């Protein structure tokens, strides 16, 4: 815009100077000169083709010559300048720069903790939906695809989500996204490309040492590399699926607890009980090997098929191919290729030959869910859904990982007792909440614990002396020193800065939060009598 602005300024300034120098004539015939302001005023309405007339007196011929010069010089100058401006706004580089500046301003003015999500994939959308409901963090999104960013903006999230079309592996893009800010708590990279996730993670760790990094990986080496550079949590959907199958083979109750933690419910159905017998594994690569290891560890007989290679080498029909693999005697088939169309074909053929076979499917695209459901598949493992829920758990309730690790080491009876305890005291689809005993989440309790002791049962067992227990089960308690207590009993003494993982209902959670955040409520629950004002253990006014 430099040249158009110079031309436009010259087209205005030269006539202004000339009008102040060229003499005119007043009504009495005396020679007069226009002031600088009058000259600017005349050039202003002449150059814009408005034309108010000749002031303060009729112009002399020399003045009219200057006005003619103004007309023929300024009109082309305006056309040139306006054309340049319009062309500039159509220039991709300029519009990109404008969007980036606007994005930077929005990020700078957030003023609260936020999460950067790299990649508006199906997994990214599911994660955003979960986080947006909690409203604990603001969200920022980066993706190279303009179509995906437009799709994000069309969702009309509240609060709004700053998003930019850019390469998330670029250092300047990450800086513009606020990665160096103390408000930036997490960065999540969910691309299907392991190398891209690695690049983003490396730059993120360099730019912010305290940042929590969550990255998705689909290959063994990718996960190892991510861990080596300091990624806090690697999302490995293949390992998660294998763990689910392993838990299901060990106990349907253990599998059910894992499924609930990752978004399911606590109802043990027929499809949660994996059959004993021969398995046919149709998968390849790392996922196939992971499944083989799981079946070997559980002493399950299986036939492994690299479906793409084997089908290219066969000479008979699809049905003959599966018959040779032992489909008629098999108890279960796992369709785990990276192509949903092939997985659909595998299940359809298997069900034709053996209608009673137990079918497990890996679903790569969310759009195919209805097709798999029509085939009455027993178990569907959706990669994007698994990845999103795993990332969400790490952000919102990281104690779930310790809970699953510890509960999986227990006996079969413990699995059953734990599930029955939760379903009887709460329900079959309880909310899973993690809280810390501090002044932000449990104001009154954290203060009270500095002078007195409180046990778990005092807070949740018949707290109001009306015979009703809160619908709460404490699944785990983590001390400030890292000690983890699985399923602590009611006599466990709480301490400041303890983290607790609980299963509950929304009404009971609301009552529990009222108790732990209001001094009078807490005092009555613990002592059974109303508190007097002078018995406050602290001077600061409690929350109400």
């Amino acid at each position: 815009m430099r040249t158009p602005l110079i031309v436009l300024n010259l087209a205005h300034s030269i006539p202004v100077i000339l009008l102040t120098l060229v003499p005119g004539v007043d009504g009495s015939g005396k020679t007069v000169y226009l002031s600088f302001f009058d000259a600017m005023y005349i050039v202003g309405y002449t150059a814009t083709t408005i034309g108010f007339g000749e002031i303060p007196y009729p112009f002399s011929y020399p003045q009219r010559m200057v006005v003619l010069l103004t007309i023929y010089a300024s009109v082309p100058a305006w056309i040139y300048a306006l054309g340049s401006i319009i062309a500039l706004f159509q220039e991709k580089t300029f519009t990109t720069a404008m969007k980036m500046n606007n994005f930077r301003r929005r990020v700078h003015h957030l003023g609260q903790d936020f999460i950067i999500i790299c990649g508006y994939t199906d997994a990214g959308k599911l994660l955003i939906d979960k986080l947006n409901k909690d409203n604990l963090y603001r969200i920022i999104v980066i993706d190279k695809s303009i179509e995906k960013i437009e799709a994000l903006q069309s969702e009309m999230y509240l609060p709004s989500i700053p998003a930019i079309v850019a390469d998330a592996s670029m250092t300047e893009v990450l800086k513009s996204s606020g990665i160096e800010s103390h408000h930036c708590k997490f960065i999540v990279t969910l691309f299907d490309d392991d190398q891209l996730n690695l690049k983003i993670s490396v730059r993120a760790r360099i730019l912010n040492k305290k940042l929590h990094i969550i990255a998705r990986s689909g290959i063994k080496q990718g996960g190892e590399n991510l861990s080596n550079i300091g990624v806090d949590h690697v999302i490995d959907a293949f390992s998660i699926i294998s763990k689910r199958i392993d838990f299901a083979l060990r106990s349907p109750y253990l599998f059910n607890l894992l499924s609930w933690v990752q978004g399911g419910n606590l109802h043990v159905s027929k499809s949660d009980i994996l059959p004993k017998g021969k398995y046919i594994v149709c998968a390849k690569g790392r996922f196939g090997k992971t499944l083989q290891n799981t079946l070997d560890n559980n002493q399950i007989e299986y036939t492994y098929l690299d479906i793409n290679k084997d089908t290219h080498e066969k000479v008979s029909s699809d049905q003959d191919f599966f018959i040779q693999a032992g489909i008629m005697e098999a108890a279960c088939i796992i369709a785990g290729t990276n192509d949903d169309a092939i997985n659909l074909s595998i299940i359809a053929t298997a069900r034709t030959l053996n209608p009673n076979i137990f079918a497990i499917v890996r679903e790569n695209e969310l759009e195919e869910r209805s097709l798999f459901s029509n085939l009455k598949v027993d178990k569907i493992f959706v990669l994007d859904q698994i990845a999103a829920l795993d990332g969400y758990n790490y952000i919102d309730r990281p104690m779930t990982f310790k809970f699953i690790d510890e509960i999986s080491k227990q006996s079969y009876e413990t699995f059953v007792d734990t599930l029955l305890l939760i379903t009887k005291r709460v329900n079959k689809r309880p909310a899973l909440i993690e809280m810390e005993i501090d002044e932000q989440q449990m104001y009154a309790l954290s203060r009270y614990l500095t002078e007195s002791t409180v046990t778990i049962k005092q807070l949740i067992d018949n707290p109001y002396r009306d015979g009703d227990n809160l619908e709460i089960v404490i699944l785990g308690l983590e001390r400030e020193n890292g000690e983890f207590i699985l399923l602590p009993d009611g006599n466990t003494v709480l301490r400041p800065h303890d983290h607790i993982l609980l299963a509950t209902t929304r009404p009971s959670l609301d009552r529990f939060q009222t108790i732990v955040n209001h001094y009078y409520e807490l005092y009555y629950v613990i002592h059974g009598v109303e508190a007097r004002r002078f018995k406050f253990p602290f001077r600061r006014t409690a929350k109400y």
Side-chain angles (χ1 to χ4, degrees):
M1 286 299 294
R2 184 180 293 110
T3 302
L5 289 175
I6 291 173
V7 171
L8 194 61
N9 285 326
L10 289 175
H12 284 71
S13 59
I14 292 174
V16 169
I17 294 171
L18 291 175
L19 281 176
T20 60
L21 298 176
V22 174
V25 180
D26 63 9
S28 61
K30 291 177 60 177
T31 299
V32 293
Y33 291 90
L34 292 174
S35 68
F36 187 75
F37 176 79
D38 287 337
M40 285 184 62
Y41 180 63
I42 293 166
V43 170
Y45 66 65
T46 302
T48 55
T49 69
I50 296 173
F52 282 149
E54 299 177 352
I55 61 166
Y57 307 105
F59 290 164
S60 65
Y61 283 104
Q63 287 177 315
R64 288 172 181 171
M65 291 293 292
V66 174
V67 172
L68 282 174
L69 173 64
T70 303
I71 294 171
Y72 288 111
S74 61
V75 172
W78 271 107
I79 294 174
Y80 174 50
L82 290 174
S84 299
I85 292 172
I86 293 171
L88 180 63
F89 277 97
Q90 293 176 337
E91 180 68 32
K92 185 177 179 180
T93 303
F94 177 77
T95 56
T96 301
M98 291 289 290
K99 289 178 181 178
M100 181 59 77
N101 286 333
N102 182 53
F103 175 71
R104 288 194 190 102
R105 284 194 297 271
R106 292 187 65 189
V107 171
H108 180 72
H109 289 99
L110 282 181
Q112 63 187 92
D113 293 344
F114 61 85
I115 298 172
I116 299 174
I117 296 180
C118 303
Y120 189 63
T121 59
D122 289 333
K125 183 182 185 308
L126 290 171
L127 178 59
I128 290 170
D129 289 340
K130 295 283 290 183
L131 293 171
N132 200 58
K133 287 181 181 178
D134 292 345
N135 200 27
L136 296 176
Y137 299 96
R138 292 295 300 272
I139 301 168
I140 295 170
V141 176
I142 311 171
D143 199 297
K144 286 179 68 174
S145 170
I146 188 171
E147 291 81 10
K148 289 183 178 180
I149 295 300
E150 288 176 349
L152 166 67
Q153 293 169 341
S154 68
E155 292 289 336
M156 302 296 289
Y157 286 105
L158 290 175
S160 62
I161 297 177
I164 190 66
V165 180
D167 185 352
S169 65
M170 301 278 294
T171 301
E172 288 304 317
V173 172
L174 291 175
K175 288 183 177 180
S176 298
S177 303
I179 197 169
E180 296 174 306
S181 169
H182 67 278
H183 286 299
C184 185
K185 301 302 181 182
F186 295 87
I187 183 170
V188 187
T189 173
L190 296 171
F191 293 109
D192 294 326
D193 186 341
D194 279 51
Q195 288 302 313
L196 180 56
N197 291 334
L198 181 62
K199 288 180 183 178
I200 295 170
S201 301
V202 169
R203 286 163 173 76
R205 177 55 68 217
I206 293 172
L207 293 171
N208 190 336
K209 302 294 185 183
K210 297 181 179 180
L211 184 66
H212 293 283
I213 303 175
I214 303 172
R216 185 174 183 176
S217 176
I219 59 176
K220 182 178 180 181
Q221 295 80 4
E224 292 174 350
N225 291 336
L226 289 167
S227 298
N228 290 337
I229 65 166
V231 170
D232 299 277
H233 183 65
V234 178
I235 301 174
D236 184 348
F238 296 158
S239 294
I240 296 171
I241 294 174
S242 296
K243 179 182 282 189
R244 287 193 182 189
I245 293 175
D246 176 56
F247 282 13
L249 289 169
R250 290 173 57 189
S251 165
Y253 299 95
L254 179 59
F255 169 81
N256 210 246
L257 286 169
L258 176 61
S259 297
W260 166 60
V261 164
Q262 295 179 340
N265 57 42
L266 284 173
H267 175 66
V268 178
S269 63
K270 183 179 179 181
S271 63
D272 294 332
I273 304 173
L274 296 190
K276 300 296 182 181
K278 180 179 179 180
Y279 280 53
I280 295 179
V281 180
C282 300
K284 65 175 183 176
R286 179 167 173 252
F287 184 47
K289 292 178 181 178
T290 306
L291 290 174
Q292 290 181 70
N293 292 335
T294 298
L295 297 176
D296 286 335
N297 292 336
N298 287 276
Q299 299 179 338
I300 300 294
E301 178 190 358
Y302 65 89
T303 297
Y304 175 73
L305 302 175
D306 187 339
I307 197 70
N308 291 329
K309 177 183 177 183
D310 294 341
T311 51
H312 278 90
E313 293 178 352
K314 71 183 177 62
V315 293
S316 54
S317 67
D318 287 339
Q319 291 192 358
D320 291 338
F321 171 71
F322 281 104
I323 289 173
Q324 291 175 12
I327 192 72
M328 305 302 291
E329 301 82 27
C332 176
I333 186 168
I334 302 176
T337 75
N338 58 2
D339 189 320
D340 285 337
I342 293 177
N343 291 338
L344 283 166
S345 176
I346 291 170
I347 298 302
T349 304
R351 279 282 165 81
T352 300
L353 296 171
N354 186 349
N356 296 321
I357 195 168
F358 194 96
I360 300 175
V361 170
R362 162 189 169 183
E363 183 180 344
N364 301 283
E365 301 291 339
L366 284 170
E367 291 80 5
E368 306 296 342
R369 172 58 67 91
S370 60
L371 295 177
F372 285 112
S373 299
N374 290 335
L375 287 175
K376 294 183 169 52
V377 175
D378 298 285
K379 282 287 174 203
I380 303 176
F381 294 118
V382 187
L383 296 186
D384 287 327
Q385 187 178 64
I386 290 170
L389 290 171
D390 190 66
Y392 172 74
N393 277 343
Y394 184 81
I395 293 170
D396 193 63
R397 46 199 189 194
M399 283 181 66
T400 55
F401 296 98
K402 288 190 176 181
F403 169 72
I404 289 299
D405 286 343
E406 292 299 321
I407 197 73
S408 65
K409 299 173 185 176
Q410 307 304 312
S411 64
Y412 183 91
E413 290 73 19
T414 304
F415 308 151
V416 178
D417 293 343
T418 302
L419 191 141
L420 291 177
L421 171 65
I422 299 172
T423 53
K424 285 183 178 180
R425 179 143 185 169
V426 188
N427 57 39
K428 292 182 178 180
R429 198 177 182 88
L432 187 60
I433 306 295
E434 179 176 338
M435 302 177 71
E436 181 182 0
I437 302 178
D438 61 7
E439 292 194 12
Q440 289 186 337
Q441 299 186 52
M442 302 187 192
Y443 174 79
L445 180 60
S446 66
R447 287 269 178 164
Y448 192 90
L449 289 177
T450 60
E451 296 189 1
S452 302
T453 60
V454 178
T455 62
I456 290 176
K457 67 179 180 181
Q458 286 179 296
L459 297 179
I460 64 175
D461 290 349
N462 191 23
Y464 291 102
R465 279 67 175 175
D466 56 3
D468 292 332
N469 297 328
L470 294 185
E471 295 173 329
I472 291 177
V473 173
I474 306 297
L475 303 175
L477 185 149
E478 186 174 9
R479 301 293 189 189
E480 191 175 10
N481 61 6
E483 177 191 0
F484 183 82
I485 303 173
L486 177 68
L487 299 169
D489 60 36
N491 294 318
T492 302
V493 176
L494 298 173
R495 302 174 188 170
H497 303 293
D498 280 349
H499 286 255
I500 59 173
L501 182 68
L502 50 91
T504 183
T505 60
R506 177 52 61 182
S508 287
L509 178 61
D510 291 341
R511 295 185 72 185
F512 180 75
Q513 289 180 320
T514 299
I515 292 171
V516 298
N517 280 295
H518 298 76
Y519 176 73
Y520 287 111
E521 291 279 345
L522 178 64
Y523 193 92
Y524 176 79
V525 164
I526 294 173
H527 299 282
V529 295
E530 298 288 345
R532 295 184 179 180
R533 185 171 297 276
F534 66 81
K535 287 190 176 183
F536 268 54
F538 46 87
R539 293 181 177 276
R540 184 177 170 184
T541 304
K543 289 185 179 179
Y544 289 99

